[in-house]
């Protein structure tokens, strides 16, 4: 498998029903991925990092729907036990150290190219078809615009075609590299009534342009943790994600490190769909916006990573 895998896809979760209806969201992601890599003949693996599994729940491997007959998609489950998690900084405040967990999966991936993605994402058929034909540059990282969809329930009975059809027709907001764009008038009016700010008013669908989000000179940090695709050598070169036990913005640091290292950004014009759900912070520590902005502005001006790039990322000795 190590010599033939073209794409490794990394997701991480724990069986705690985070955001509600979690298992069904993950199964929807898996169902679409399995169908598309088989349709477009892409030898792939899905690595599921089961991080700090709750003691009173079953393992993810026993909860998820897996097609073991799919010759184009192999499955690997990596359990990160509580005994490891409890030794980590921030373990008392965050039961899921998301980016450490992703790094653990990335570190152990076999594929030529590695996609780190969240398990409530539906990959579009256009994107997978592009991947099947593209000659990916080994000095380029690839980002995609996230399309939020209102329908947060997809029946296990739905075919992949039905899932993709519903995803395309339920988009209400898009995260672009230069703005957040509302596609739904109802969602926009709701936003304006709540915030009553000029910024919210300018998110009006009437101001949307076809060129929005296509400027590759702007680093696409919006929803950075939802989709990042690049050659395995670039993950190693950048030291993967920052593993500090902080939520919010920290997933964007790697993009600026890649900029400092002279790596090119390509923004794919193919959507990824995010199944909207309840966001639970659960008291997790967050980085202040001003601190993050100051750090990345310094990297942009000096073209120097904000800290020494680690070599021991992803718990390689475990």
């Amino acid at each position: 498998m190590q010599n033939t895998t073209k794409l490794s896809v990394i997701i991480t979760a724990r069986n705690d029903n985070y955001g509600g209806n979690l298992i069904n969201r993950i199964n929807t992601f898996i169902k679409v991925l399995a169908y598309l890599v088989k349709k477009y003949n892409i030898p792939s693996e899905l690595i599921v990092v089961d991080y700090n599994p709750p003691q009173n729940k079953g393992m993810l491997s026993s909860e998820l729907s897996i097609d073991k007959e799919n010759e184009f998609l192999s499955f690997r489950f990596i359990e990160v036990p509580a005994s490891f998690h409890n030794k980590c900084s921030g373990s008392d405040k965050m039961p899921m150290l998301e980016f450490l967990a992703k790094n653990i999966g990335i570190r152990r991936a076999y594929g030529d190219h590695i996609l780190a993605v969240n398990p409530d994402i539906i990959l579009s058929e256009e994107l997978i078809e592009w991947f099947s034909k593209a000659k990916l540059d080994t000095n380029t990282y690839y980002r995609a615009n996230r399309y939020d969809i209102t329908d947060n329930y997809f029946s296990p009975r739905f075919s992949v075609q039905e899932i993709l059809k519903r995803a395309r027709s339920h988009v209400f907001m898009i995260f672009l590299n230069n703005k957040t764009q509302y596609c739904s008038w109802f969602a926009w009016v709701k936003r304006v009534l709540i915030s009553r700010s000029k910024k919210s008013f300018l998110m009006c669908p009437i101001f949307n342009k076809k060129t929005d989000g296509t400027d590759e000179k702007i680093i696409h940090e919006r929803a950075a943790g939802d989709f990042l695709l690049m050659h395995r050598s670039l993950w190693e070169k950048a030291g993967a994600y920052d593993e500090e036990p902080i939520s919010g913005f920290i997933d964007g640091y790697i993009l600026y490190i890649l900029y400092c290292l002279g790596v090119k950004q390509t923004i794919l014009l193919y959507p990824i769909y995010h199944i909207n759900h309840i966001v639970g912070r659960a008291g997790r520590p967050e980085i202040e916006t001003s601190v993050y902005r100051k750090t990345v502005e310094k990297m942009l001006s000096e073209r120097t990573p904000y800290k020494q790039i680690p070599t021991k990322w992803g718990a390689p000795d475990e």
Side-chain angles (χ1 to χ4, degrees):
M1 191 67 186
Q2 192 163 359
N3 296 324
T4 60
T5 304
K6 184 177 180 181
L7 175 66
S8 292
V9 181
I10 315 297
I11 63 171
T12 183
R14 61 197 301 266
N15 193 10
D16 60 357
N17 200 32
Y18 175 79
N21 205 26
L22 176 64
I23 297 301
N24 189 67
R25 284 187 281 133
I26 301 176
N27 277 332
T28 301
F29 161 78
I30 292 174
K31 187 174 185 176
V32 173
L33 175 68
Y35 173 86
L36 291 177
V37 297
K38 183 175 182 179
K39 179 176 180 178
Y40 291 101
N41 302 327
I42 304 171
S44 308
E45 67 171 350
L46 173 62
I47 297 178
V48 181
V49 181
D50 192 349
Y51 189 89
N52 186 25
Q55 293 183 357
N56 62 337
K57 297 287 185 69
M59 301 294 292
L60 283 175
S61 57
S62 65
E63 298 282 349
L64 300 180
S65 299
I66 297 172
D67 177 10
K68 295 181 180 180
E69 303 301 319
N70 188 335
E71 67 272 29
F72 286 95
L73 184 64
S74 66
F75 293 83
R76 295 165 59 201
F77 286 84
I78 300 175
E79 179 192 350
V80 182
S83 58
F84 173 86
H85 170 71
N86 292 336
K87 293 185 292 184
C88 297
S89 173
S91 61
D92 56 329
K93 296 182 179 179
M94 299 177 69
M96 163 66 83
L97 298 176
E98 177 185 346
F99 297 104
L100 169 58
K102 285 181 177 177
N103 285 355
I104 287 170
I106 293 165
R107 187 98 197 193
R108 291 155 180 81
Y110 293 153
D112 297 329
H113 283 83
I114 301 172
L115 169 61
V117 66
N118 280 340
D120 50 12
I121 293 293
I122 298 173
L123 300 175
S124 66
E125 182 162 1
E126 306 96 297
L127 190 149
I128 298 300
E129 182 179 10
W130 163 82
F131 182 86
S132 70
K133 301 174 182 177
K135 293 183 179 180
L136 276 66
D137 182 14
T138 56
N139 196 49
T140 297
Y141 71 87
Y142 299 86
R143 295 278 290 119
N145 295 321
R146 192 184 93 180
Y147 288 52
D148 277 13
I149 53 181
T150 55
D151 193 345
N152 62 3
Y153 179 73
F154 288 82
S155 171
R157 298 188 302 273
F158 288 171
S159 66
V160 171
Q161 291 86 348
E162 179 66 18
I163 291 170
L164 292 173
K165 179 181 177 182
R166 291 173 72 91
R168 287 189 292 267
S169 62
H170 284 75
V171 176
F172 72 94
M173 184 170 67
I174 307 175
F175 288 81
L176 304 167
N177 67 338
N178 63 334
K179 63 185 288 190
T180 300
Q181 185 179 95
Y182 275 90
C183 301
S184 160
W185 284 96
F186 176 80
W188 173 74
V189 170
K190 184 178 179 180
R191 171 68 180 257
V192 169
L193 291 176
I194 293 173
S195 66
R196 299 181 183 276
S197 67
K198 180 180 179 181
K199 181 179 179 181
S200 297
F201 177 77
L202 293 175
M203 291 179 180
C204 176
I206 201 171
F207 297 131
N208 295 345
K209 302 175 183 177
K210 290 183 178 180
T211 56
D212 287 339
T214 60
D215 187 352
E216 294 183 341
K217 295 178 182 178
I218 302 173
I219 292 179
H220 194 341
E221 63 179 14
R222 299 288 182 96
D226 282 300
F227 184 99
L228 180 56
L229 170 67
M230 56 187 175
H231 192 266
R232 58 184 306 107
S233 62
L234 292 182
W235 287 103
E236 295 167 1
K237 188 176 181 179
Y241 290 109
D242 191 313
E243 295 179 353
E244 288 295 313
I246 303 170
S247 64
F249 294 114
I250 198 167
D251 52 357
Y253 278 140
I254 187 174
L255 306 181
Y256 292 93
I257 290 175
L258 291 165
Y259 166 82
C260 293
L261 297 174
V263 180
K264 179 185 175 183
Q265 171 183 249
T266 290
I267 299 172
L268 303 175
L269 301 181
Y270 313 107
I272 59 170
Y273 301 103
H274 172 247
I275 304 173
N276 202 35
H277 61 86
I278 301 169
V279 177
R281 295 295 180 187
R284 296 182 297 176
E286 296 185 29
I287 189 171
E288 293 184 12
T289 306
S290 59
V291 173
Y292 173 77
R293 290 260 70 92
K294 183 177 179 181
T295 302
V296 299
E297 289 298 332
K298 185 177 181 181
M299 281 196 277
L300 286 172
S301 62
E302 299 180 2
R303 294 198 75 120
T304 302
Y306 69 110
K307 65 180 183 180
Q308 184 176 357
I309 294 174
T311 58
K312 291 287 189 177
W313 58 271
D317 299 327
E318 293 290 331

